[in-house]
């Protein structure tokens, strides 16, 4: 940067001691609310959650230190293992198809086309709709004489008790979640695809590579960063998901849709076992972090950096 | 090839929107007899809207949702603008520690801190109050992080020349920083409004008083309140979907910017 010589003394003044003091004072003032907020509502709760997970606490009296009891109990708690299994099925079942379908839609949608901008806006609608509104709608779609059964009836299949059958209810949740997240992933992937360098594709086209080869050899590797982002938000989002299971099935029938956050919520706020609920929260946190790290490792594996 | 691709895409999108249309159609259902049918009856929809606003808790839930979502989104924008700008542009003691805490918080889910957060709000005497629902979520690590990333790219010459002209740091933030940060702040407002409009878990925990329930909690109870008329509940769901959809279409650019942030190679 070049400044005229006449300004030099004034610039010297604004970079001097008084200026540094003014900067520090304003910086501290502007970030004071944030400092207080994150301390009181995130740091303290996180430290407390770790502490509470080693205690027995039912809101009456003080938390009582019980060491690893909560974690030991968890190992023998069929309710916990059921929830862990349900969450794993729900996560894998909704993440994989929603990302594969989103890619299948995003690749043609990212190309220039007369109506593609309009279609991209439409694709976002399910993602922008409140989850509560969509959950209520889907609970009616999955009713005995609802749209889902009407559609499979057209194909000649028998109507199914989607939300009341132990084997089907979780898959009903998976279908709804896949549908809900599809648009979001399409938009993120489309943006990623449009950011890829066109010259690489042109060169590959000149070399005679077909569309399938281009997709697997060029598009997918180049898109790795965006895919990783989508995968992480999809997995973490599914693992902490609470609303669909709460609204569609309340965790039932017979615990078939009792995802971990729902089990934790019921343990803490219905049965007031705050210590055990905190231990479940810790396991959920560790699982989410471990999966995120694993995804980074796997998808970044071939990177130089 | 191109025509075929366009047709298939249009069909896929149409199938995706079928449940959205089902919400419209169901909101006009007069009883539970025709759930699979997709005919739309505008007069029934009008009757349901009138009934929802005429009796029961619906207008109250709507008001509470607006208070919560607007309150949190506005506070988030103001406080994140201040902190994000300070962390990016000003040197002050403790800034590194604060940034480290915020980055650490990014990986925490609200589900993890739910129990202690509830205990803190209870200790503050904020159960069954609006501040109990608003204050614990009035900021987010994501918000501060987003503003900071954006504020790092502010033109330093402009800020320096304002200093040379003798403007105070606070004035530089308000008069130069905030206007230049506007795209980031609008994105943040939109994402936070949408998130809070949909927040069921926290109000469910801290608001026992139905007079404070926002739409998500109210809607989850509507089934009992109205003797489960599918038409009425679907109409309520439809009305709940209108503000977020309108905002998304109005601020589409910011919506996409917010969603794709971090996911696209820069």
């Amino acid at each position: 940067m070049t400044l005229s010589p006449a300004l030099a003394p004034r610039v010297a003044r604004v970079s001097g001691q008084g200026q540094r003091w003014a900067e520090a004072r304003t910086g501290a003032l502007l970030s004071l609310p944030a400092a207080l907020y994150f301390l009181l509502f995130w740091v303290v709760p996180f430290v407390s959650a770790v502490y509470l997970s080693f205690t027995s606490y039912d809101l009456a009296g003080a938390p009582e230190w019980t060491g690893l009891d909560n974690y030991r109990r968890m190992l023998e708690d069929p309710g916990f293992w059921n929830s862990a299994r349900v969450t794993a099925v729900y996560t894998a079942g909704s993440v994989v198809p929603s990302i594969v379908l989103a890619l299948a839609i995003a690749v043609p949608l990212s190309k220039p086309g007369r109506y593609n901008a309009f279609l991209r806006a439409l694709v976002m609608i399910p993602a922008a709709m409140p989850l509560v509104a969509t959950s209520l709608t889907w609970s009616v779609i999955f009713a005995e004489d609802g749209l889902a059964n009407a559609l499979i009836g057209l194909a000649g299949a028998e109507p199914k008790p989607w939300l009341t059958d132990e084997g089907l209810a979780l898959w009903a949740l998976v279908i709804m979640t896949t549908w809900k997240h599809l648009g979001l992933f399409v938009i993120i992937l489309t943006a990623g695809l449009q950011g890829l360098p066109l010259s690489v594709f042109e060169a590959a086209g000149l070399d005679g590579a077909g569309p399938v080869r281009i997709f697997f050899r060029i598009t997918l590797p180049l898109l790795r960063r965006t895919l990783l982002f989508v995968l992480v938000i999809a997995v973490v989002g599914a693992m902490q998901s609470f609303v669909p299971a709460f609204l569609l099935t309340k965790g039932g029938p017979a615990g078939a849709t009792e995802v971990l956050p729902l089990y934790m919520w019921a343990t803490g706020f219905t049965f007031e076992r705050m210590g055990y609920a905190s231990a479940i929260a810790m396991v959920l946190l560790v699982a989410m972090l471990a999966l995120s790290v694993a995804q980074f490792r796997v998808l970044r594996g071939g990177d130089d950096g | 090839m191109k025509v075929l691709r366009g047709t298939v895409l249009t069909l896929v999108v149409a199938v995706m929107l079928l449940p959205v249309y089902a919400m419209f159609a169901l909101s006009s259902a007069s009883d539970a007899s025709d759930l699979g049918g997709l005919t739309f009856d505008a007069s029934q929809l009008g009757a349901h809207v009138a009934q929802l606003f005429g009796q029961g808790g619906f207008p109250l839930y709507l008001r509470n949702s607006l208070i919560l979502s607007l309150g949190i989104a506005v506070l988030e924008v103001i406080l994140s603008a201040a902190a994000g700008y300070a962390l990016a542009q000003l040197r002050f003691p403790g800034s590194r520690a604060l940034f480290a805490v915020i980055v650490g918080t990014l990986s925490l889910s609200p589900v993890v801190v739910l129990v202690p957060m509830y205990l803190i709000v209870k200790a503050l005497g904020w159960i069954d109050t609006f501040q109990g629902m608003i204050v614990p979520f009035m900021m987010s690590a994501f918000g501060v992080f987003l503003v900071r990333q954006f504020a790092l790219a502010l033109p330093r010459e402009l800020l320096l020349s304002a200093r040379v002209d003798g403007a105070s740091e606070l004035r530089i933030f308000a008069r130069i920083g905030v206007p230049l940060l506007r795209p980031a702040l609008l994105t943040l407002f939109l994402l936070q409004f949408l998130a809070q409009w949909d927040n069921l878990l926290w109000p469910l925990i801290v608001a026992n008083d139905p007079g404070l329930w926002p739409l998500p909690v109210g809607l989850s109870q509507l089934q009992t309140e109205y003797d489960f008329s599918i038409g009425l509940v679907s109409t309520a769901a439809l009305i709940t979907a209108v503000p977020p959809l309108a905002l998304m279409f109005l601020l589409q650019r910011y919506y996409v910017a917010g969603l794709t942030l971090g996911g696209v190679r820069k």
Side-chain angles (χ1 to χ4, degrees):
Chain A
M1 183 175 46
T2 53
L3 290 163
S4 79
L7 275 176
R10 288 165 74 182
V11 171
R13 198 190 68 224
V14 300
S15 50
Q17 192 76 46
Q19 158 61 20
R20 246 178 278 155
W21 167 239
E23 209 181 301
R25 203 180 43 193
T26 312
L29 183 73
L30 287 179
S31 55
L32 184 66
L36 291 175
Y37 168 81
F38 283 103
L39 186 68
L40 185 58
F41 288 105
W42 289 92
V43 176
V44 170
F46 176 65
V47 175
S48 314
V50 176
Y51 167 72
L52 282 173
S53 77
F54 297 108
T55 67
S56 166
Y57 183 41
D58 60 0
L59 291 178
E64 188 187 324
W65 184 267
T66 54
L68 287 171
D69 268 10
N70 286 327
Y71 293 96
R72 240 176 261 135
R73 174 158 60 179
M74 210 181 286
L75 292 175
E76 290 156 15
D77 176 5
F80 169 78
W81 287 110
N82 174 59
S83 292
R85 186 191 60 81
V86 168
T87 296
V89 173
Y90 175 72
T91 301
S94 58
V95 166
V96 175
S98 58
I99 292 182
V100 171
L101 282 173
L103 253 182
I105 298 174
V107 169
L109 200 57
S110 63
K111 301 202 166 104
R114 202 183 301 169
Y115 305 109
N116 283 4
F118 177 62
L119 287 178
R120 279 197 293 272
L122 291 183
V123 158
M124 283 194 287
I125 289 178
M129 292 223 310
L131 193 45
V132 181
T134 49
S135 296
L136 285 175
T137 302
W138 279 85
S139 71
V140 184
I141 289 175
F142 282 128
E144 295 276 5
D145 46 0
L147 182 62
N149 279 337
L151 284 180
I152 66 168
L154 288 180
E158 290 292 306
K160 292 180 173 20
W162 291 98
L163 297 177
T164 49
D165 183 281
E166 277 181 48
L168 274 177
L170 185 55
W171 296 107
L173 281 190
V174 164
I175 291 171
M176 192 205 98
T177 306
T178 303
W179 170 82
K180 177 81 172 88
H181 290 163
L182 192 54
L184 175 68
F185 300 160
V186 169
I187 294 308
I188 298 174
L189 291 171
T190 307
L193 285 162
Q194 287 175 333
L196 299 183
L198 264 178
S199 53
V200 183
F201 293 95
E202 282 163 4
L206 288 177
D207 287 346
V212 176
R213 200 177 157 79
I214 289 181
F215 176 76
F216 283 103
R217 290 297 175 83
I218 299 176
T219 311
L220 272 189
L222 283 178
L223 201 61
R224 197 157 57 180
R225 214 178 109 100
T226 311
L227 274 174
L228 174 66
F229 176 69
V230 171
L231 189 62
V232 171
I233 60 168
V235 168
V236 172
M239 287 178 76
Q240 55 181 307
S241 157
F242 168 89
V243 172
F246 180 80
L247 282 182
L248 258 67
T249 52
K250 290 269 188 296
T257 58
E258 186 152 49
V259 289
L260 263 179
L262 196 61
Y263 187 62
M264 192 210 90
W265 172 79
T267 303
F269 294 97
T270 307
F271 301 110
E272 299 195 341
R273 286 154 61 184
M274 296 296 183
Y276 193 42
S278 298
I280 297 170
M282 285 302 120
V283 171
L284 192 63
L285 174 68
V286 170
M288 286 195 292
L289 289 180
L291 273 174
S292 300
V293 171
Q295 285 161 10
F296 272 103
R297 284 274 161 83
V298 170
L299 268 170
R300 285 244 150 138
D303 263 14
D304 300 326
Chain B
M1 179 66 190
K2 209 172 168 185
V3 174
L4 179 72
R5 197 171 70 203
T7 314
V8 173
L9 258 183
T10 310
L11 268 175
V12 169
V13 173
V15 171
M16 256 185 86
L17 292 181
L18 196 59
V20 180
Y21 177 74
M23 187 160 79
F24 271 96
L26 289 166
S27 66
S28 75
S30 52
D31 55 42
S33 64
D34 186 29
L35 299 185
L38 286 173
T39 47
F40 181 75
D41 178 357
S43 65
Q44 276 298 328
L45 176 61
H48 288 152
V49 172
Q51 199 184 337
L52 275 176
F53 281 98
Q55 60 161 74
F58 189 78
L60 197 60
Y61 305 150
L62 189 61
R63 186 205 68 162
N64 293 341
S65 263
L66 284 170
I67 293 175
L68 274 187
S69 302
L70 286 175
I72 290 180
V74 167
L75 281 169
E76 160 112 353
V77 165
I78 294 171
L79 298 173
S80 300
Y85 174 85
L87 285 171
Q89 291 292 346
L90 303 172
R91 276 161 299 175
F92 59 97
S95 64
R96 276 163 183 269
L98 180 59
F99 187 60
V101 165
I102 288 169
V103 169
T105 310
L106 267 177
S107 60
L108 278 184
S109 150
V111 173
V112 174
V113 289
L114 210 56
V115 166
M117 228 185 222
Y118 167 77
L119 297 175
I120 288 170
V121 166
K122 195 164 164 256
L124 289 167
W126 286 358
I127 299 294
D128 277 331
T129 63
F130 272 113
Q131 65 262 38
M133 289 194 274
I134 291 176
V135 174
F137 287 96
M138 67 179 181
M139 289 189 83
S140 69
F142 172 77
V144 181
F145 194 76
L146 173 77
V147 175
R148 177 185 170 272
Q149 291 306 102
F150 209 87
L152 283 174
L154 291 180
R156 288 189 181 269
E157 295 83 357
L158 202 60
L159 302 178
L160 185 64
S161 66
R163 272 175 204 145
V164 171
D165 287 344
S168 74
E169 289 294 334
L170 217 51
R171 200 180 158 79
I172 296 173
F173 162 67
R175 290 298 169 85
I176 301 176
V178 170
L180 289 175
L181 288 171
R182 203 166 60 180
L185 300 181
L186 266 172
T187 304
L188 195 54
F189 176 87
L190 182 64
L191 291 180
Q192 189 62 270
F193 181 91
L194 294 181
Q196 293 308 321
W197 190 258
D198 218 11
N199 190 357
L200 170 71
L201 188 50
W202 184 248
L204 188 71
I205 288 170
V206 293
N208 309 310
D209 174 6
L212 289 175
W213 282 352
L215 282 167
V217 183
L219 240 62
S220 70
Q221 311 290 330
L222 265 189
Q223 300 175 351
T224 42
E225 188 179 334
Y226 287 97
D227 237 1
F228 198 53
S229 150
I230 281 164
L232 262 185
V233 174
S234 298
T235 307
L238 185 66
I239 296 172
T240 307
V242 170
L245 287 178
L247 271 180
M248 187 205 79
F249 275 107
L250 278 175
L251 302 173
Q252 204 180 98
R253 193 154 59 96
Y254 301 105
Y255 183 74
V256 174
L259 296 182
T260 54
L261 190 94
V264 179
R265 190 188 284 271
K266 282 261 160 72

